[in-house]
């Protein structure tokens, strides 16, 4: 039910792109979920559109400004016009879009600016660039961090007194999966592993490949990698070289960004994340909602999310990752039970309704 207060809440999510990343997905999730909770819920993409545009429920509340440089007056002008047209009261900026949002705030001082920190390298915060962010934070009314480490970092390093840790949530629906259409099971492999993570160093795909090599000595198994990659990217090429070196070319498939992640998850036997660093990965919540057995590394908020209902291993250890995967493959009843219990835990603790209410309370407080 929408707010009926004297002070309206008219919110605009701001994100740099609509490619399939965790922060981007959260911006779209919030824009959609808030529609029934506030007086207005909209979304601006600044630099690039992408697959997630198809998931926006109210395109009449959406704007793409095609920002081409750090300070782009044309893009700023389009955004300000949209803000005035829809009488926006709150700007909710995600990740690096804080800079664009801060420029808007300087032009329109009455706007309440909230920054949502999705920084994935939360194990490497000592190296995080902070100068521009530190200055911009003078303009923030509140900061939302996706894990406890990011919350403490913001409290210690930035100039904003209201900092909250609020969990991510997922809005995956399994009602519209195309039936009788196979996305993964096209070969003769018995077991199918899936990892939903853009192909970049933070996600440490090489550890997953090394684990697959160990695993393939015992099981017929294929690894399906969903996530954005660029053909000429050095890291992607290094992963391809490693796959070839281990003669795993037929055991690994890259899909790039996909629109219907849930359809791929539906077919997988085990979902994994081999990351060296994370915030609170939305893909982990998607795994749980899909009731998949989960094997993850102990980074960011991952261990807290799964509790006792997944296999958690140290990052950078292919032997431990392979052993955890092998354990689930060898004991399917244990895998099924953990998947069911993790599903219940995530639905109860990371359900949309509770998280949205916390967000709305922050909007009210500022």
């Amino acid at each position: 039910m929408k707010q009926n207060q004297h002070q309206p809440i008219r919110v605009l999510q701001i994100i740099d792109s609509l490619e399939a990343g965790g922060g981007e997905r959260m911006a779209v999730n919030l824009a959609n979920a808030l529609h029934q909770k506030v007086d207005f819920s909209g979304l601006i993409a600044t630099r690039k559109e992408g697959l997630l545009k198809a998931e926006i429920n109210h395109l009449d509340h959406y704007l793409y400004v095609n920002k081409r440089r750090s300070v782009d007056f044309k893009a700023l002008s389009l955004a300000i016009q949209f803000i005035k047209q829809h009488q926006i009261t709150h700007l909710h900026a995600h990740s690096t879009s804080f800079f664009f949002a801060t420029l808007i705030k300087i032009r329109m001082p009455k706007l309440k600016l909230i920054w949502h920190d999705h920084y994935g390298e939360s194990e490497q915060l000592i190296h995080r660039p902070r100068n521009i962010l530190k200055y911009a934070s003078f303009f923030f009314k509140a900061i939302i961090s996706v894990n406890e480490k990011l919350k403490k970092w913001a409290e210690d390093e930035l100039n904003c007194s209201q900092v909250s840790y609020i969990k991510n949530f997922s809005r995956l629906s399994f009602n519209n999966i195309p039936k009788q259409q196979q996305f993964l099971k096209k070969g003769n492999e018995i077991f199918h592993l899936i990892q939903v993570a853009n192909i970049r160093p933070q996600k440490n795909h090489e550890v997953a490949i090394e684990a697959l090599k160990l695993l393939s000595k015992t099981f017929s198994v294929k690894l399906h990698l969903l996530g954005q990659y660029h053909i000429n990217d050095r890291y992607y090429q290094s992963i391809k070289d490693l796959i070839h070196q281990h003669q795993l070319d037929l055991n690994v498939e890259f899909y790039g960004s996909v629109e219907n992640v849930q359809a791929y998850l539906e077919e997988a036997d085990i979902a994994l994340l081999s990351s060296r660093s994370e915030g609170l990965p939305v893909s982990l919540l998607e795994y749980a909602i899909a009731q998949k057995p989960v094997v993850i590394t102990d980074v960011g908020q991952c261990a807290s999310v799964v509790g006792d209902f997944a296999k958690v291993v140290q990052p950078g250890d292919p032997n431990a990752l392979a052993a955890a995967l092998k354990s689930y493959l060898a004991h399917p009843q244990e895998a099924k039970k953990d998947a069911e219990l993790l599903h219940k835990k995530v639905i109860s603790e990371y359900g949309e309704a509770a998280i949205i209410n916390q967000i709305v309370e922050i909007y009210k407080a500022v």
Side-chain angles (χ1 to χ4, degrees):
M1 190 173 181
K2 297 188 179 182
Q3 302 291 325
N4 290 315
Q5 301 173 321
H6 295 299
Q7 294 294 327
I9 297 177
R10 303 180 66 83
V11 188
L12 188 62
Q13 309 295 320
I14 301 182
I15 188 71
D16 282 339
S17 89
L18 289 175
E19 294 178 334
E24 292 83 354
R25 191 170 292 281
M26 278 305 302
V28 173
N29 284 350
L30 282 169
N32 288 338
L34 284 165
H35 186 72
Q36 297 300 321
K37 288 284 186 178
V38 297
D39 298 277
F40 178 89
S41 177
L43 175 71
I44 280 183
T46 64
R47 287 190 297 103
K48 194 174 183 182
E49 295 189 300
L51 285 176
L52 293 179
K53 182 178 178 181
E55 298 187 17
I56 298 171
N57 290 345
H58 302 276
L59 283 171
D60 54 331
H61 292 182
Y62 164 73
L63 176 69
Y64 170 53
V65 297
N66 194 22
K67 176 176 168 236
R68 295 178 178 271
R69 55 190 69 85
S70 295
V71 180
D72 187 321
F73 291 107
K74 182 178 179 182
L76 273 171
S77 177
L78 286 170
I80 289 169
Q81 184 180 347
F82 187 82
I83 288 165
K84 288 178 177 176
Q85 176 189 348
H86 294 288
Q87 300 177 311
I88 300 301
T89 58
H90 295 64
L91 296 181
H92 188 147
H94 296 261
S95 301
T96 51
S97 70
F98 75 84
F99 182 73
F100 187 79
T102 300
L103 295 178
I104 295 172
K105 166 73 175 174
I106 291 169
R107 291 277 299 273
M108 305 180 76
K110 290 184 179 179
L111 289 172
K112 278 84 172 176
L113 175 55
I114 296 99
W115 178 54
H116 206 138
D117 186 7
H118 301 273
Y119 192 64
E121 294 275 14
S122 60
E123 318 299 317
Q124 304 289 331
L125 284 168
I126 192 170
H127 303 301
R128 186 179 193 182
R130 68 194 72 191
N131 291 341
I132 296 174
L133 181 54
K134 199 160 190 170
Y135 173 75
S137 66
F138 280 112
F139 297 92
F140 299 165
K141 285 288 188 181
I143 294 173
I144 298 170
S145 304
V146 299
N147 69 29
E148 296 284 5
K149 287 182 182 177
L150 293 177
K151 178 177 184 287
K152 186 176 187 310
W153 184 86
E155 289 169 338
D156 292 345
E157 299 290 338
L158 303 182
N159 301 295
C160 178
S161 59
Q162 186 173 330
V163 184
S164 307
Y165 158 48
I166 294 185
K167 302 167 181 175
N168 282 338
F169 68 95
S170 173
R171 305 190 90 224
L172 270 191
S173 168
F174 286 81
N175 297 326
N176 300 315
I177 297 176
K179 299 302 178 187
Q180 300 176 333
Q181 183 172 354
Q182 290 192 325
F183 292 90
L184 305 186
K185 299 179 180 178
K186 299 171 184 174
N188 297 319
E189 295 78 10
I190 299 172
F191 297 111
H192 296 265
L193 312 179
I194 192 168
Q195 175 154 281
V196 182
N198 290 334
I199 312 299
R200 49 195 172 96
Q202 173 205 335
K203 304 299 183 179
N204 221 5
H205 284 81
E206 54 264 52
V207 172
I209 303 304
E210 296 286 358
L212 180 67
K213 176 179 167 56
L214 296 168
L215 202 62
S216 62
K217 295 176 181 178
T218 313
F219 295 93
S220 177
V221 63
K222 187 166 184 176
L223 175 61
H224 305 269
L225 300 175
L226 277 63
Q228 184 184 40
Y229 65 88
H230 300 284
I231 293 292
N232 297 320
D233 177 71
R234 185 178 299 174
Y235 181 69
Y236 168 71
Q237 289 299 331
S238 74
I239 298 302
K240 291 285 285 184
D241 290 344
L242 184 63
I243 291 166
H244 187 67
Q245 177 188 326
H246 288 327
Q247 299 180 327
L248 293 170
D249 302 77
L250 298 178
N251 299 84
V252 182
E253 187 164 352
F254 293 85
Y255 293 78
S257 295
V258 301
E259 291 184 11
N260 49 346
V261 172
Q262 62 270 36
Y264 294 81
L265 287 174
E266 185 87 340
E267 290 189 53
D269 295 295
I270 298 176
L272 69 133
L273 279 176
S274 56
S275 309
R276 71 181 188 203
S277 184
E278 284 289 357
L280 197 170
V282 175
S283 57
L284 176 54
L285 304 181
E286 293 173 345
Y287 295 171
I289 291 171
Q291 293 194 49
K292 295 293 131 181
V294 170
V295 178
I296 54 161
T297 47
D298 188 5
V299 291
Q301 214 70 22
C302 292
S304 165
V305 172
V306 301
D308 298 325
F309 309 129
K311 303 287 187 188
V312 183
V313 302
Q314 289 304 304
D317 187 344
N319 290 291
L321 187 63
L325 291 165
K326 185 175 181 179
S327 177
Y328 270 156
L329 291 177
H331 302 95
Q333 289 307 312
E334 178 198 358
K336 184 173 185 292
K337 182 180 177 184
D338 278 356
E340 290 170 352
L341 292 170
L342 179 58
H343 175 79
K344 289 176 183 175
K345 181 179 190 293
V346 164
I347 292 296
S348 129
E349 296 179 16
Y350 297 81
E352 176 184 323
I355 305 302
I356 287 297
N357 287 339
Q358 292 177 54
I359 299 278
V360 171
E361 287 304 313
I362 288 177
Y363 294 159
K364 290 179 184 176
V366 302

